[in-house]
Structure formats: C-alpha cells, structure tokens
Coordinates of all heavy atoms in Angstrom, one line a residue:
M1181 N -15.2 9.4 22.2 CA -14.0 9.5 23.0 C -12.9 10.3 22.2 O -12.6 9.9 21.1 CB -13.5 8.1 23.4 CG -12.2 8.1 24.0 SD -11.5 6.5 24.6 CE -12.5 5.2 24.2
A1182 N -12.4 11.3 22.8 CA -11.3 12.1 22.1 C -10.0 11.5 22.3 O -9.7 10.9 23.4 CB -11.4 13.5 22.7
H1183 N -9.2 11.5 21.3 CA -7.8 11.0 21.4 C -6.9 12.2 21.8 O -7.0 13.3 21.3 CB -7.3 10.4 20.1 CG -8.1 9.2 19.7 ND1 -7.8 8.0 20.3 CD2 -9.1 8.9 18.8 CE1 -8.6 7.1 19.9 NE2 -9.4 7.6 18.9
K1184 N -5.8 11.9 22.6 CA -4.8 12.8 22.9 C -4.0 13.1 21.6 O -3.6 12.2 20.9 CB -3.9 12.3 24.0 CG -2.8 13.2 24.4 CD -1.9 12.5 25.4 CE -0.6 13.3 25.6 NZ 0.5 12.9 24.8
K1185 N -3.8 14.4 21.4 CA -2.9 14.8 20.2 C -1.5 14.4 20.5 O -0.9 14.7 21.5 CB -3.0 16.3 20.0 CG -2.4 16.7 18.7 CD -2.7 18.2 18.5 CE -2.0 18.7 17.3 NZ -2.3 20.1 17.0
Q1186 N -0.9 13.6 19.5 CA 0.4 13.1 19.7 C 1.4 14.1 19.1 O 1.1 14.7 18.1 CB 0.6 11.8 19.0 CG -0.1 10.6 19.7 CD 0.2 9.3 19.0 OE1 0.1 9.2 17.8 NE2 0.5 8.3 19.8
S1187 N 2.6 14.2 19.7 CA 3.7 14.9 19.1 C 4.5 14.0 18.1 O 4.3 12.8 18.2 CB 4.6 15.5 20.1 OG 5.4 14.5 20.7
W1188 N 5.3 14.6 17.3 CA 6.1 13.8 16.3 C 6.9 12.7 17.1 O 7.0 11.6 16.6 CB 7.0 14.7 15.5 CG 7.8 14.0 14.5 CD1 9.2 13.8 14.7 CD2 7.5 13.5 13.3 NE1 9.6 13.1 13.6 CE2 8.6 12.9 12.7 CE3 6.2 13.4 12.6 CZ2 8.6 12.3 11.4 CZ3 6.2 12.8 11.4 CH2 7.4 12.3 10.8
N1189 N 7.5 13.1 18.2 CA 8.3 12.2 19.0 C 7.6 11.0 19.5 O 8.2 10.0 19.9 CB 9.1 12.9 20.1 CG 10.1 13.9 19.6 OD1 10.6 13.7 18.5 ND2 10.3 14.9 20.3
E1190 N 6.3 11.1 19.7 CA 5.5 10.0 20.2 C 5.0 9.0 19.1 O 4.5 7.9 19.4 CB 4.2 10.5 20.9 CG 4.6 11.3 22.1 CD 3.4 12.0 22.8 OE1 2.6 12.6 22.0 OE2 3.2 11.9 24.0
F1191 N 5.2 9.3 17.8 CA 4.8 8.4 16.7 C 5.8 7.3 16.7 O 7.0 7.5 16.9 CB 4.8 9.2 15.4 CG 3.7 10.2 15.2 CD1 3.9 11.3 14.4 CD2 2.5 10.1 15.9 CE1 2.9 12.2 14.2 CE2 1.5 11.0 15.7 CZ 1.7 12.1 14.9
S1192 N 5.3 6.1 16.2 CA 6.2 5.0 16.0 C 7.0 5.3 14.8 O 6.7 6.1 13.9 CB 5.4 3.7 15.8 OG 4.6 3.8 14.6
G1193 N 8.1 4.5 14.6 CA 9.0 4.7 13.4 C 8.2 4.4 12.1 O 8.4 5.1 11.1
R1194 N 7.3 3.4 12.2 CA 6.5 3.1 11.0 C 5.6 4.2 10.6 O 5.4 4.6 9.5 CB 5.7 1.8 11.2 CG 4.8 1.4 10.1 CD 4.1 0.1 10.5 NE 3.0 -0.2 9.6 CZ 3.0 -0.8 8.4 NH1 4.2 -1.3 8.0 NH2 2.0 -1.0 7.7
K1195 N 4.9 4.8 11.6 CA 4.0 5.9 11.4 C 4.7 7.1 10.8 O 4.2 7.8 9.9 CB 3.2 6.3 12.6 CG 2.1 7.2 12.4 CD 1.2 7.3 13.7 CE -0.1 8.1 13.3 NZ -1.0 8.1 14.5
K1196 N 5.9 7.4 11.4 CA 6.7 8.5 10.9 C 7.1 8.3 9.4 O 7.0 9.2 8.6 CB 8.0 8.7 11.7 CG 7.8 9.3 13.0 CD 9.1 9.4 13.8 CE 8.9 9.9 15.2 NZ 10.2 10.0 15.9
A1197 N 7.5 7.0 9.1 CA 7.9 6.7 7.7 C 6.7 6.9 6.7 O 6.9 7.4 5.6 CB 8.4 5.3 7.6
V1198 N 5.5 6.4 7.1 CA 4.3 6.5 6.3 C 4.0 8.0 6.1 O 3.7 8.4 4.9 CB 3.1 5.8 6.9 CG1 1.8 6.2 6.2 CG2 3.4 4.3 6.9
M1199 N 4.1 8.8 7.1 CA 3.8 10.2 7.0 C 4.8 11.0 6.1 O 4.5 11.8 5.3 CB 3.8 10.9 8.4 CG 2.6 10.5 9.2 SD 2.5 11.1 10.8 CE 2.2 12.8 10.5
V1200 N 6.1 10.6 6.2 CA 7.1 11.2 5.3 C 6.9 10.8 3.9 O 6.9 11.7 3.0 CB 8.5 10.8 5.8 CG1 9.6 11.2 4.8 CG2 8.8 11.5 7.2
V1201 N 6.7 9.5 3.6 CA 6.4 9.1 2.2 C 5.2 9.7 1.7 O 5.2 10.2 0.5 CB 6.3 7.5 2.2 CG1 5.8 7.1 0.8 CG2 7.7 6.9 2.5
A1202 N 4.1 9.8 2.4 CA 2.9 10.4 1.9 C 3.1 11.9 1.6 O 2.6 12.4 0.6 CB 1.8 10.3 3.0
S1203 N 3.9 12.6 2.5 CA 4.2 14.0 2.2 C 5.0 14.2 1.0 O 4.8 15.1 0.2 CB 4.9 14.6 3.4 OG 4.1 14.5 4.6
I1204 N 6.0 13.3 0.7 CA 6.8 13.4 -0.5 C 6.0 13.2 -1.7 O 6.1 13.9 -2.7 CB 8.0 12.4 -0.4 CG1 9.0 12.8 0.7 CG2 8.7 12.2 -1.7 CD1 10.1 11.8 1.0
V1205 N 5.1 12.2 -1.7 CA 4.2 11.9 -2.8 C 3.3 13.1 -3.1 O 3.1 13.5 -4.2 CB 3.4 10.6 -2.6 CG1 2.3 10.5 -3.6 CG2 4.3 9.4 -2.6
Q1206 N 2.7 13.7 -2.0 CA 1.8 14.8 -2.2 C 2.6 16.0 -2.8 O 2.1 16.6 -3.8 CB 1.2 15.2 -0.9 CG 0.3 16.4 -1.0 CD -0.3 16.8 0.3 OE1 -0.3 16.0 1.3 NE2 -0.8 18.0 0.4
V1207 N 3.8 16.3 -2.3 CA 4.6 17.4 -2.8 C 5.0 17.2 -4.3 O 4.9 18.0 -5.2 CB 5.8 17.7 -1.9 CG1 6.7 18.7 -2.6 CG2 5.3 18.3 -0.6
T1208 N 5.4 15.9 -4.6 CA 5.8 15.6 -5.9 C 4.6 15.7 -6.9 O 4.8 16.2 -8.0 CB 6.3 14.1 -6.0 OG1 7.4 14.0 -5.1 CG2 6.7 13.7 -7.3
L1209 N 3.4 15.3 -6.5 CA 2.2 15.4 -7.4 C 1.9 16.9 -7.7 O 1.7 17.3 -8.8 CB 1.0 14.8 -6.7 CG 0.7 13.3 -7.0 CD1 -0.4 12.9 -6.0 CD2 0.4 13.1 -8.4
T1210 N 2.0 17.7 -6.6 CA 1.7 19.1 -6.8 C 2.7 19.8 -7.7 O 2.4 20.6 -8.6 CB 1.7 19.8 -5.4 OG1 0.7 19.1 -4.6 CG2 1.3 21.3 -5.5
V1211 N 4.0 19.5 -7.4 CA 5.1 20.2 -8.3 C 4.9 19.7 -9.7 O 5.0 20.5 -10.6 CB 6.5 19.8 -7.7 CG1 7.6 20.2 -8.7 CG2 6.7 20.5 -6.4
A1212 N 4.7 18.4 -9.9 CA 4.5 17.9 -11.3 C 3.3 18.5 -12.0 O 3.4 18.9 -13.2 CB 4.4 16.4 -11.3
G1213 N 2.2 18.7 -11.2 CA 1.0 19.4 -11.8 C 1.3 20.8 -12.2 O 0.9 21.2 -13.2
Y1214 N 2.0 21.5 -11.3 CA 2.3 22.9 -11.6 C 3.2 23.1 -12.8 O 3.1 23.9 -13.6 CB 2.9 23.7 -10.4 CG 1.8 24.2 -9.4 CD1 1.8 23.7 -8.1 CD2 0.8 25.1 -9.8 CE1 0.8 24.2 -7.2 CE2 -0.2 25.5 -9.0 CZ -0.2 25.1 -7.7 OH -1.1 25.5 -6.8
R1215 N 4.2 22.2 -12.9 CA 5.2 22.2 -14.0 C 4.4 21.9 -15.3 O 4.6 22.6 -16.3 CB 6.3 21.2 -13.8 CG 7.3 21.6 -12.7 CD 8.4 20.7 -12.7 NE 9.2 20.9 -13.9 CZ 10.3 20.3 -14.2 NH1 10.9 19.5 -13.3 NH2 10.9 20.5 -15.4
D1216 N 3.5 20.9 -15.3 CA 2.8 20.6 -16.5 C 1.9 21.7 -16.9 O 1.8 22.1 -18.0 CB 2.0 19.3 -16.2 CG 1.3 18.8 -17.5 OD1 1.9 18.2 -18.3 OD2 0.1 19.1 -17.6
L1217 N 1.2 22.3 -15.9 CA 0.3 23.4 -16.2 C 1.0 24.6 -16.7 O 0.5 25.2 -17.7 CB -0.5 23.8 -14.9 CG -1.5 24.9 -15.0 CD1 -2.7 24.5 -15.9 CD2 -2.1 25.2 -13.6
A1218 N 2.2 24.9 -16.2 CA 3.0 26.0 -16.7 C 3.4 25.9 -18.1 O 3.6 26.8 -18.9 CB 4.2 26.3 -15.8
R1219 N 3.7 24.6 -18.5 CA 4.2 24.3 -19.8 C 3.1 24.2 -20.9 O 3.5 24.2 -22.1 CB 5.0 23.0 -19.8 CG 6.3 23.2 -19.0 CD 7.0 21.9 -18.9 NE 8.3 22.1 -18.1 CZ 9.1 21.2 -17.8 NH1 8.9 20.0 -18.2 NH2 10.2 21.5 -17.2
R1220 N 1.9 24.2 -20.5 CA 0.8 24.0 -21.5 C 0.2 25.4 -21.8 O 0.1 26.3 -21.0 CB -0.3 23.2 -20.9 CG 0.0 21.8 -20.8 CD -1.1 20.9 -20.3 NE -0.6 19.6 -20.2 CZ -0.4 18.8 -21.2 NH1 -0.7 19.1 -22.4 NH2 0.1 17.6 -21.0
S1221 N -0.2 25.5 -23.1 CA -0.9 26.7 -23.5 C -2.4 26.6 -22.9 O -2.8 25.5 -22.6 CB -1.0 26.8 -25.0 OG -1.7 25.8 -25.6
A1222 N -3.0 27.7 -22.8 CA -4.4 27.7 -22.3 C -5.4 26.9 -23.1 O -6.3 26.3 -22.5 CB -4.9 29.2 -22.3
D1223 N -5.1 26.7 -24.4 CA -6.0 25.9 -25.2 C -5.8 24.4 -25.0 O -6.6 23.6 -25.5 CB -6.0 26.3 -26.7 CG -4.7 26.1 -27.3 OD1 -3.7 26.3 -26.6 OD2 -4.6 25.9 -28.5
E1224 N -4.7 24.0 -24.3 CA -4.5 22.6 -24.0 C -5.0 22.2 -22.6 O -4.8 21.1 -22.2 CB -3.0 22.3 -24.0 CG -2.3 22.5 -25.4 CD -0.8 22.3 -25.4 OE1 -0.2 23.0 -24.6 OE2 -0.4 21.4 -26.1
V1225 N -5.7 23.1 -21.9 CA -6.2 22.9 -20.6 C -7.7 23.0 -20.6 O -8.2 23.9 -21.2 CB -5.5 23.9 -19.6 CG1 -6.1 23.7 -18.2 CG2 -4.0 23.8 -19.6
E1226 N -8.3 22.1 -19.9 CA -9.8 22.1 -19.8 C -10.1 23.2 -18.7 O -9.8 23.0 -17.5 CB -10.3 20.8 -19.3 CG -10.3 19.7 -20.3 CD -11.3 19.8 -21.4 OE1 -12.2 20.6 -21.3 OE2 -11.1 19.1 -22.4
G1227 N -10.7 24.3 -19.1 CA -11.0 25.3 -18.1 C -9.9 26.3 -18.0 O -9.0 26.4 -18.8
S1228 N -9.9 27.1 -16.9 CA -9.0 28.1 -16.6 C -7.7 27.6 -16.0 O -7.7 26.8 -15.0 CB -9.6 29.1 -15.7 OG -8.7 29.9 -15.1
K1229 N -6.5 28.1 -16.5 CA -5.3 27.7 -15.9 C -5.2 28.2 -14.5 O -4.7 27.5 -13.6 CB -4.1 28.2 -16.7 CG -3.9 27.5 -18.0 CD -2.7 28.0 -18.8 CE -1.4 27.6 -18.2 NZ -0.3 27.9 -19.1
L1230 N -5.7 29.4 -14.2 CA -5.7 30.0 -12.9 C -6.5 29.1 -11.9 O -6.1 28.8 -10.8 CB -6.3 31.4 -12.9 CG -6.4 32.1 -11.5 CD1 -5.1 32.2 -10.8 CD2 -7.1 33.4 -11.7
A1231 N -7.7 28.7 -12.4 CA -8.6 27.8 -11.6 C -7.9 26.5 -11.2 O -7.9 26.0 -10.1 CB -9.9 27.5 -12.2
W1232 N -7.2 25.9 -12.2 CA -6.5 24.6 -11.9 C -5.3 24.9 -11.0 O -5.0 24.1 -10.1 CB -6.0 24.0 -13.2 CG -7.1 23.2 -13.9 CD1 -7.6 23.5 -15.1 CD2 -7.7 22.1 -13.4 NE1 -8.6 22.6 -15.3 CE2 -8.7 21.7 -14.3 CE3 -7.6 21.3 -12.2 CZ2 -9.5 20.6 -14.1 CZ3 -8.4 20.2 -12.0 CH2 -9.4 19.8 -13.0
G1233 N -4.6 26.0 -11.1 CA -3.6 26.4 -10.2 C -4.0 26.5 -8.8 O -3.4 26.0 -7.8
V1234 N -5.2 27.1 -8.6 CA -5.8 27.2 -7.2 C -6.2 25.8 -6.8 O -6.0 25.4 -5.6 CB -6.9 28.2 -7.2 CG1 -7.7 28.1 -5.9 CG2 -6.4 29.6 -7.5
A1235 N -6.8 25.0 -7.6 CA -7.3 23.7 -7.3 C -6.2 22.8 -6.8 O -6.4 21.9 -5.9 CB -8.1 23.1 -8.4
M1236 N -5.0 22.9 -7.4 CA -3.9 22.1 -7.0 C -3.4 22.3 -5.6 O -2.6 21.5 -5.1 CB -2.8 22.2 -8.0 CG -3.1 21.3 -9.3 SD -1.7 21.1 -10.3 CE -1.9 22.5 -11.4
L1237 N -3.9 23.4 -5.0 CA -3.5 23.6 -3.6 C -4.3 22.7 -2.6 O -4.0 22.6 -1.4 CB -3.8 25.1 -3.2 CG -3.0 26.1 -3.9 CD1 -3.5 27.5 -3.6 CD2 -1.5 25.9 -3.5
A1238 N -5.3 22.0 -3.1 CA -6.2 21.1 -2.3 C -5.5 19.7 -2.1 O -6.0 18.7 -2.7 CB -7.5 21.0 -2.9
N1239 N -4.5 19.7 -1.4 CA -3.8 18.4 -1.0 C -3.7 17.4 -2.2 O -3.2 17.8 -3.2 CB -4.5 17.7 0.2 CG -4.3 18.5 1.4 OD1 -3.3 19.3 1.6 ND2 -5.2 18.4 2.4
W1240 N -4.2 16.2 -2.0 CA -4.1 15.2 -3.1 C -5.1 15.4 -4.2 O -4.8 15.1 -5.3 CB -4.4 13.8 -2.4 CG -3.5 13.4 -1.4 CD1 -3.5 13.7 -0.1 CD2 -2.3 12.5 -1.5 NE1 -2.5 13.1 0.6 CE2 -1.7 12.4 -0.3 CE3 -1.8 11.9 -2.6 CZ2 -0.6 11.6 -0.1 CZ3 -0.6 11.1 -2.4 CH2 -0.1 11.0 -1.2
V1241 N -6.2 15.9 -3.8 CA -7.4 16.0 -4.7 C -7.1 16.9 -5.9 O -7.4 16.5 -7.1 CB -8.6 16.5 -4.0 CG1 -9.8 16.6 -4.9 CG2 -9.0 15.5 -2.9
G1242 N -6.5 18.0 -5.7 CA -6.3 19.0 -6.8 C -5.4 18.5 -7.9 O -5.7 18.4 -9.1
P1243 N -4.1 18.0 -7.5 CA -3.2 17.5 -8.6 C -3.8 16.3 -9.3 O -3.7 16.1 -10.5 CB -2.0 17.2 -7.8 CG -2.0 18.0 -6.6 CD -3.4 18.1 -6.3
I1244 N -4.4 15.4 -8.6 CA -5.0 14.2 -9.2 C -6.1 14.6 -10.1 O -6.2 14.0 -11.3 CB -5.5 13.2 -8.1 CG1 -4.2 12.6 -7.4 CG2 -6.3 12.1 -8.8 CD1 -4.6 11.7 -6.2
A1245 N -7.0 15.5 -9.7 CA -8.1 16.0 -10.6 C -7.5 16.6 -11.8 O -8.0 16.4 -12.9 CB -9.0 16.9 -9.8
Y1246 N -6.4 17.4 -11.7 CA -5.8 18.1 -12.8 C -5.3 17.0 -13.8 O -5.6 17.1 -15.0 CB -4.7 19.0 -12.4 CG -3.9 19.5 -13.6 CD1 -4.4 20.4 -14.5 CD2 -2.6 19.0 -13.9 CE1 -3.7 20.8 -15.6 CE2 -1.9 19.4 -15.0 CZ -2.5 20.3 -15.8 OH -1.8 20.8 -17.0
F1247 N -4.6 16.0 -13.4 CA -4.0 15.0 -14.3 C -5.2 14.2 -14.9 O -5.0 13.7 -16.0 CB -3.0 14.1 -13.6 CG -1.7 14.8 -13.4 CD1 -1.2 15.0 -12.1 CD2 -0.9 15.2 -14.5 CE1 0.1 15.7 -12.0 CE2 0.3 15.8 -14.3 CZ 0.8 16.1 -13.1
A1248 N -6.2 14.0 -14.2 CA -7.3 13.2 -14.7 C -8.3 13.9 -15.6 O -8.7 13.4 -16.6 CB -8.2 12.6 -13.5
K1249 N -8.5 15.2 -15.3 CA -9.5 16.0 -16.1 C -9.1 17.3 -16.7 O -9.7 17.9 -17.5 CB -10.7 16.3 -15.2 CG -11.5 15.1 -14.6 CD -12.3 14.5 -15.7 CE -13.2 13.4 -15.2 NZ -14.0 12.8 -16.2
G1250 N -7.9 17.8 -16.2 CA -7.6 19.2 -16.6 C -6.8 19.3 -17.9 O -6.7 20.4 -18.4
R1251 N -6.3 18.2 -18.4 CA -5.5 18.3 -19.6 C -6.3 17.8 -20.8 O -6.7 16.6 -20.8 CB -4.2 17.5 -19.5 CG -3.4 18.0 -18.2 CD -2.2 17.2 -18.0 NE -2.4 15.8 -17.9 CZ -1.4 14.9 -18.1 NH1 -0.2 15.3 -18.4 NH2 -1.7 13.6 -18.0
K1252 N -6.4 18.6 -21.9 CA -7.2 18.1 -23.0 C -6.5 17.0 -23.7 O -5.3 17.1 -24.0 CB -7.4 19.3 -24.0 CG -8.4 20.3 -23.5 CD -8.6 21.4 -24.5 CE -9.7 22.4 -24.0 NZ -9.8 23.5 -24.9
G1253 N -7.3 15.9 -24.0 CA -6.8 14.8 -24.7 C -5.8 13.9 -24.0 O -5.4 12.9 -24.5
L1254 N -5.4 14.2 -22.7 CA -4.5 13.4 -22.0 C -5.0 12.9 -20.7 O -4.4 12.0 -20.1 CB -3.2 14.3 -21.7 CG -2.4 14.7 -22.9 CD1 -1.3 15.6 -22.5 CD2 -1.8 13.5 -23.6
G1255 N -6.1 13.4 -20.2 CA -6.6 13.0 -18.9 C -7.5 11.8 -19.1 O -7.5 11.1 -20.2
L1256 N -8.2 11.4 -18.1 CA -9.1 10.2 -18.2 C -10.4 10.5 -19.1 O -11.0 9.6 -19.5 CB -9.6 9.9 -16.8 CG -8.5 9.4 -15.8 CD1 -9.1 9.2 -14.5 CD2 -7.8 8.2 -16.3
N1257 N -10.6 11.8 -19.4 CA -11.7 12.1 -20.2 C -11.5 12.0 -21.7 O -12.3 12.3 -22.5 CB -12.2 13.6 -19.9 CG -11.1 14.6 -20.1 OD1 -9.9 14.3 -20.2 ND2 -11.5 15.9 -20.0
G1258 N -10.3 11.5 -22.1 CA -10.0 11.2 -23.5 C -9.4 12.3 -24.2 O -8.7 12.6 -25.0

C-alpha cells in the first residue's frame, strides 16, 4: 500500500521538530568533519583526504565513518 506524500504543512509539530533537529545534527556532523579534515595533514588521515571529503557527502554515514575510522590514532581503530 503506497502512502500519500505529505507536504511540510501536513506534518505534526512533533514530526517537524524531529526533522529539524535531525537536519541540524547532520549538518553539524558534516561541518565538523570537514573542518577536522581540513586541519589535518595527509599523514594524519587514514587513506585519501579527497576520498574522505567525498564520503562525508553521504548523509550521516560519511561523517560518522570519518570520525570512527578516518583519523589516525583518534578513531575507533586506535
């Protein structure tokens, strides 16, 4: 069963708030990731800085992956 696509005005106040907060978190993660990447030298990054820059365009996944795996000695990989 297909759902009718809702416009912004049809969303409840709670749903609008959740979407705004999620958007702010996503943009904040991405900006923080790009700032961190720009400030690091290439030898402080696992892999290519260009590749991480492109990867961070992938919504939540890119910035989280960068912070978890992209920074030498600072991510989850030790």
Side-chain angles (χ1 to χ4, degrees):
M1181 173 177 3
H1183 293 285
K1184 177 185 170 267
K1185 188 174 181 178
Q1186 290 182 313
S1187 71
W1188 180 257
N1189 292 332
E1190 294 174 314
F1191 291 151
S1192 68
R1194 177 179 166 88
K1195 190 169 189 176
K1196 287 179 183 178
V1198 168
M1199 290 175 69
V1200 168
V1201 169
S1203 297
I1204 290 169
V1205 170
Q1206 180 180 343
V1207 169
T1208 301
L1209 272 172
T1210 303
V1211 169
Y1214 278 120
R1215 286 187 69 174
D1216 186 80
L1217 183 63
R1219 292 178 178 176
R1220 290 187 182 283
S1221 65
D1223 60 330
E1224 295 177 300
V1225 176
E1226 292 286 347
S1228 162
K1229 288 179 75 168
L1230 177 61
W1232 280 114
V1234 172
M1236 279 194 268
L1237 294 173
N1239 291 335
W1240 298 84
V1241 176
I1244 291 171
Y1246 170 71
F1247 284 118
K1249 297 285 187 181
R1251 304 178 307 157
K1252 287 185 179 176
L1254 296 173
L1256 298 176
N1257 55 349

